Amino acid sequence: MLGARFPVETNPILLSPLSLDSDIPLYSQLVSIVKRNITAGTLSPGELLPSEAELCKTFDISRSTVRQAIGSLEAEGLVVRKQGRGTFVAEPKMRRKTENVYSFTSEISSMGLTPSSTLIEFEIITPTPDIVKVLELNSADKTVYRFTRIRNVNDEPLILETSFYPQYIYPKLTKELLKTHSFYSLLYEVGIAPASAVDSYEAVVLGREEAEMLGCRPGSCAFSVQRRTRTETGMIYEYTQSLIRADRVTLDVYLHKDGVSFTRSVDK
């Protein structure tokens, strides 16, 4: 019949409710909803996700919560944002591209565990020559963020992490902002995203202070990890020094014809 109107199919993401009473952060719940739909095939590669405005209105959440969720999904390579067009489900090839780029929140959430962070120290420093060299800074980059966090899994300490970032990449960062937001998500808002990273692992023994902060005995074994993260343009924007409890983390190394890869799992 001429002039007949047909209902527009609702995006499946908008059909799953968020729980305001849950202990799981709202952005993590939204991440899980999108992941479930991608895994189930109800969202196909190349399919457009609802806009930020639609997500905010449907779930009654803030724009910063939506951006934090989208940033987490992009860090895993599950979605891709296209300027002026929106956010789309990534092609499988693009997902593989970022599967080894580290995001603590995404990694722990994907295991069905609850991540959280405790900020121990936050300051703006003049970098030492060693930090200048590691971050490949020039003479104009005179200040660096340095902050130390305890990374928790299900409210139990797992990683003691100290991070360094050039201040110019996000000049308005504050201690309060870092406590309430994922820094990766804040960086996504200004166009800075991880493209590659290099980890260096070493087996160490924890001293008394580090062991107390991680909730284990002095002399316990740990992984000491140094990481440098680069953008697509090759710029190093992150350097981290981490101590990971070896009694709760297992590393599995896979040897295959295309190279070497590894995964790490956390004991529940």
Side-chain angles (χ1 to χ4, degrees):
M1 181 172 62
L2 293 177
R5 296 175 63 88
F6 295 92
V8 177
E9 185 177 351
T10 302
N11 190 293
I13 292 174
L14 303 178
L15 300 178
S16 301
L18 297 183
S19 173
L20 299 178
D21 298 324
S22 173
D23 292 331
I24 301 175
L26 292 173
Y27 83 91
S28 292
Q29 294 184 49
L30 182 54
V31 167
S32 296
I33 289 172
V34 177
K35 281 184 177 181
R36 284 199 303 270
N37 280 281
I38 292 175
T39 302
T42 52
L43 283 177
S44 304
E47 192 163 345
L48 179 66
L49 270 62
S51 67
E52 287 185 3
E54 287 179 290
L55 292 169
C56 290
K57 181 179 179 181
T58 299
F59 295 115
D60 192 23
I61 54 179
S62 67
R63 192 171 290 267
S64 62
T65 297
V66 171
R67 288 177 177 174
Q68 190 171 1
I70 298 301
S72 178
L73 290 163
E74 193 171 24
E76 291 188 67
L78 293 172
V79 303
V80 58
R81 283 189 273 201
K82 299 181 180 180
Q83 188 69 34
R85 295 178 57 193
T87 302
F88 298 81
V89 178
E91 297 291 338
K93 187 183 301 183
M94 296 182 68
R95 294 178 207 165
R96 288 195 295 272
K97 180 180 177 183
T98 57
E99 65 185 359
N100 290 323
V101 176
Y102 178 70
S103 165
F104 174 78
T105 300
S106 300
E107 181 182 25
I108 299 304
S109 296
S110 69
M111 299 178 194
L113 305 174
T114 302
S116 62
S117 297
T118 304
L119 183 61
I120 302 300
E121 183 181 38
F122 174 86
E123 59 184 340
I124 299 172
I125 65 169
T126 298
T128 63
D130 285 345
I131 298 300
V132 170
K133 182 178 180 180
V134 169
L135 288 175
E136 298 181 355
L137 300 174
N138 58 46
S139 58
D141 305 324
K142 296 181 179 179
T143 51
V144 168
Y145 293 120
R146 179 177 68 190
F147 45 86
T148 299
R149 293 175 288 184
I150 295 176
R151 301 290 211 163
N152 308 295
V153 175
N154 291 352
D155 294 324
E156 293 186 15
L158 179 73
I159 303 173
L160 177 60
E161 178 184 271
T162 298
S163 303
F164 299 85
Y165 297 87
Q167 187 182 14
Y168 73 85
I169 65 173
Y170 197 90
K172 58 183 179 181
L173 183 65
T174 64
K175 184 176 182 179
E176 291 69 28
L177 195 60
L178 190 60
K179 284 182 176 180
T180 56
H181 292 73
S182 161
F183 192 34
Y184 263 37
S185 296
L186 295 174
L187 291 176
Y188 278 116
E189 294 182 13
V190 294
I192 295 177
S196 64
V198 175
D199 280 352
S200 298
Y201 278 77
E202 182 181 358
V204 297
V205 173
L206 293 174
R208 180 174 300 276
E209 183 178 357
E210 293 89 354
E212 288 178 356
M213 297 176 77
L214 288 174
C216 52
R217 291 178 299 182
S220 297
C221 294
F223 296 109
S224 174
V225 185
Q226 297 189 52
R227 166 176 287 263
R228 294 199 304 173
T229 309
R230 296 180 184 268
T231 63
E232 286 282 4
T233 62
M235 177 188 74
I236 297 175
Y237 72 94
E238 175 188 55
Y239 172 59
T240 61
Q241 301 169 331
S242 303
L243 289 172
I244 305 175
R245 288 178 53 169
D247 62 334
R248 294 193 62 202
V249 171
T250 300
L251 298 178
D252 294 308
V253 179
Y254 298 89
L255 307 178
H256 46 87
K257 65 179 182 179
D258 296 322
V260 179
S261 61
F262 79 95
T263 61
R264 57 187 178 189
S265 56
V266 179
D267 295 337
K268 300 182 180 181

